[in-house]
Amino acid sequence: MSAAEKISFDQTGLLRFITAGSVDDGKSTLIGRLLHDSKSIFEDQLTSITNTTRKRGAEGVDLSLLTDGLQAEREQGITIDVAYRYFATLKRKFIIADTPGHEQYTRNMVTGASTANLAIILIDARKGVLTQSRRHAYLASLVGIPHLVVAINKMDLVDYSQAVFDKIRKEFSVFAEKLNLRNIAYIPMSALNGDMVVERGDHLNWYQGSTLMDLLETVSIEDDINREDFRFPVQWVCRPQTKELHDFRGYMGRIESGSVRTGDAVTVLPSGLSSRIKEILVYEGPVDEAFAPQSVTLTIEDHLDISRGDMLVKTGDTPQVTKAFDAMLCWLSEQPLDLNRKYLIKQTTRVVKSVISRIDYRVDVNTMAQETASALKMNDIAYVGLKVQLPLVCDDYAGNRATGCFIIIDESSNNTVAAGMILPAEGSA
C-alpha cells in the first residue's frame, strides 16, 4: 500500500458522528441499538444494564443506559453531557458523540459537532419537526458538518405510517433549504425495536433506502478534509543535542490540510520568508510525500527563524494573515463576556492576546432571528469582531475547518470560554 493509499484508508476508515434532537427523541436508545446489534458491547456491560433495567421495574434491556453514563442523567432519564462511544464494524471505525437535547446545553452540542463528519438528527414521529430539531439542524450547518441524517424515530408508535414519514420529510426539507446543508438522508426507524437501524426489520418494507448502519459504513468522507491547500502549523522545533544530529533542525506538527512533497516551495507565515522542503520524516522514516492529517517532521533547505505557532504553506497559496477578523462565536462559559477584558485566542498552534471589539448581533438558535446584543452569556451564539495583538494565519471556516476555528481562553483561570469560526475576509468571494 502506497503512502497516499494508506492515509486515504486511515481517513475514510474512521467516521466521527453525533446524535442530536429534542429531549426523549431516543438518541441514547439509538446509540445503544447500534452498539448492541453490531455486537460492539461486552457481555458484562449487557449484564449490568439488564440488571439496572430490572431494578427500575422495566422489562427487557434499556439500551439507552449504554450512553447515559452520568448519574444525574440516569436519575433524570435525560442526557446532559456529551457522551462519547467507540465501536467498529468490518468496514469502518466510529466515534459517536451523543449530545444533549435541552436548549441550555447548546454549548455541548457545538463541542460534540466541531469535529464530526456526520450528524444524526432524531425526530419523534409522533411530534414531528420541533423547535429543537430546527435548532440542532442550524447548529450542524453553523459548524459545517458535511453530512446530515434525519432519523424519523419511534415509527412503531405511528403504526409505521409512510404518510407520517413523508409529511415530516417534506416539512424538514423546506426548513433545510434555508441552511447551508447538503447530503441530507431521511430514514424511518424504530430504535427501540431495531427497525432500519442495523437490520431492516419487517415493518418498513415501503422504504427502499439504506439502513442507518449501511449509510454510516458507506458514506464518503474523502472530501471532508481540504486536500488542496497545504497548511502546516508548527507545533515544535526539533533540535537534538547530539553529536550526530548537531546541525539538525526539524519542524514538527500535523498537516491540517493538503499535501506536500520534497522540493516543494513553501512560505513561512506570518514572516513571509520562503524556502523549499528538504526532507519529510514520519515514524517509519523519510518519505517523498505526506498528506493531511499526517503528523510529520519537515526540514527545509534554508536556515530561517521559525518557531511554534508559525505556519508553512505552499508558495503562492496564501491564507489570511490578519490582526482583525469577524467570526461566529459560541460562548461556553458561565461567566458572561466582558468586552473590556482581554482574552487569549488559540488558533492551530498559535496563542495570542485578543479583544472582542464588537458584537454585531446574537442569533436566536430557535428561530435564527438576529437580535441586538451588548453582552454574551453561556450558550449564546453571535456574530462578532475580534482584534489580536499578533497576526493570525487563518482561512475562513467554510473553506478549511482546521485553520478556520479557534478557542478563547480566560487568561486568569485558563478556562476555555468560547469557540469560534472565522468568517471570510471582507471583499473575498
Side-chain angles (χ1 to χ4, degrees), residues 194-234:
D195 296 292
M196 216 54 68
V197 181
V198 176
E199 305 295 336
R200 298 193 67 85
D202 300 321
H203 302 97
L204 291 165
N205 295 327
W206 48 264
Y207 172 72
Q208 301 302 312
S210 301
T211 66
L212 177 61
M213 180 59 82
D214 286 339
L215 189 149
L216 294 176
E217 288 184 326
T218 59
V219 62
S220 175
I221 58 174
E222 291 184 7
D223 297 328
D224 290 357
I225 285 184
N226 181 325
R227 299 192 179 277
E228 298 298 322
D229 303 312
F230 173 63
R231 302 288 186 262
F232 182 77
V234 176

Side-chain angles (χ1 to χ4, degrees), residues 31-41 66 85 87:
I31 294 177
R33 175 62 63 185
L34 281 170
L35 297 174
H36 180 272
D37 288 8
S38 63
K39 309 285 192 296
S40 298
I41 60 175
L66 285 168
R85 289 296 180 271
F87 74 104

Side-chain angles (χ1 to χ4, degrees), residues 81-334:
D81 202 354
V82 182
Y84 291 94
R85 289 296 180 271
Y86 310 84
F87 74 104
T89 66
L90 294 176
K91 295 182 179 179
R92 184 171 260 172
K93 298 176 183 178
F94 303 92
I95 298 177
I96 317 170
D98 181 23
T99 62
H102 281 293
E103 180 177 356
Q104 64 263 39
Y105 302 117
T106 296
R107 61 176 182 169
N108 303 66
M109 162 69 180
V110 171
T111 300
S114 60
T115 59
N117 304 104
L118 179 146
I120 301 172
I121 295 182
L122 271 81
I123 295 177
D124 188 327
R126 300 168 301 172
K127 302 175 182 178
V129 180
L130 299 177
T131 298
Q132 291 95 325
S133 311
R134 296 185 178 93
R135 174 164 53 90
H136 284 139
Y138 167 71
L139 293 173
S141 70
L142 178 69
V143 300
I145 297 179
H147 311 281
L148 189 70
V149 175
V150 179
I152 301 171
N153 192 30
K154 302 189 179 184
M155 290 295 296
D156 53 304
L157 300 182
V158 294
D159 297 323
Y160 296 97
S161 168
Q162 182 176 0
V164 170
F165 171 78
D166 289 341
K167 179 182 178 182
I168 294 173
R169 176 175 179 164
K170 181 178 180 180
E171 183 180 358
F172 192 93
S173 297
V174 171
F175 173 73
E177 289 178 358
K178 304 175 184 178
L179 306 175
N180 186 27
L181 292 171
R182 57 187 178 91
N183 298 330
I184 304 178
Y186 297 85
I187 303 178
M189 66 176 57
S190 169
L192 183 65
N193 297 330
D195 296 292
M196 216 54 68
V197 181
V198 176
E199 305 295 336
R200 298 193 67 85
D202 300 321
H203 302 97
L204 291 165
N205 295 327
W206 48 264
Y207 172 72
Q208 301 302 312
S210 301
T211 66
L212 177 61
M213 180 59 82
D214 286 339
L215 189 149
L216 294 176
E217 288 184 326
T218 59
V219 62
S220 175
I221 58 174
E222 291 184 7
D223 297 328
D224 290 357
I225 285 184
N226 181 325
R227 299 192 179 277
E228 298 298 322
D229 303 312
F230 173 63
R231 302 288 186 262
F232 182 77
V234 176
Q235 184 172 359
W236 192 259
V237 179
C238 177
R239 297 196 65 186
Q241 299 301 310
T242 64
K243 184 177 180 180
E244 295 80 4
L245 297 174
H246 180 72
D247 294 327
F248 181 88
R249 184 190 293 265
Y251 306 103
M252 306 176 73
R254 185 175 72 175
I255 301 174
E256 295 293 353
S257 62
S259 62
V260 65
R261 296 185 62 91
T262 54
D264 280 348
V266 292
T267 299
V268 183
L269 297 174
S271 69
L273 300 173
S274 297
S275 184
R276 290 186 178 274
I277 297 296
K278 181 179 179 181
E279 194 173 26
I280 303 170
L281 302 172
V282 297
Y283 180 78
E284 294 83 1
V287 295
D288 293 329
E289 187 174 14
F291 310 81
Q294 228 173 345
S295 294
V296 299
T297 300
L298 302 178
T299 66
I300 60 176
E301 294 180 352
D302 302 284
H303 292 287
L304 302 179
D305 183 10
I306 301 174
S307 58
R308 175 183 171 86
D310 290 343
M311 187 181 296
L312 273 63
V313 304
K314 288 186 179 177
T315 300
D317 179 17
T318 305
Q320 292 186 59
V321 180
T322 181
K323 295 176 71 174
F325 58 92
D326 293 349
M328 293 299 296
L329 194 70
C330 178
W331 195 255
L332 309 176
S333 175
E334 294 178 356

Side-chain angles (χ1 to χ4, degrees), residues 16 19 28 51 71 91 109 116 140 172 177 219 241 276 279 311 335 338 344 368-369 381 411:
R16 294 179 172 88
T19 58
S28 298
N51 292 337
Q71 185 64 31
K91 295 182 179 179
M109 162 69 180
F172 192 93
E177 289 178 358
V219 62
Q241 299 301 310
R276 290 186 178 274
E279 194 173 26
M311 187 181 296
Q335 295 295 322
D338 184 349
L344 296 177
M368 293 188 297
I381 293 175
E411 192 172 9

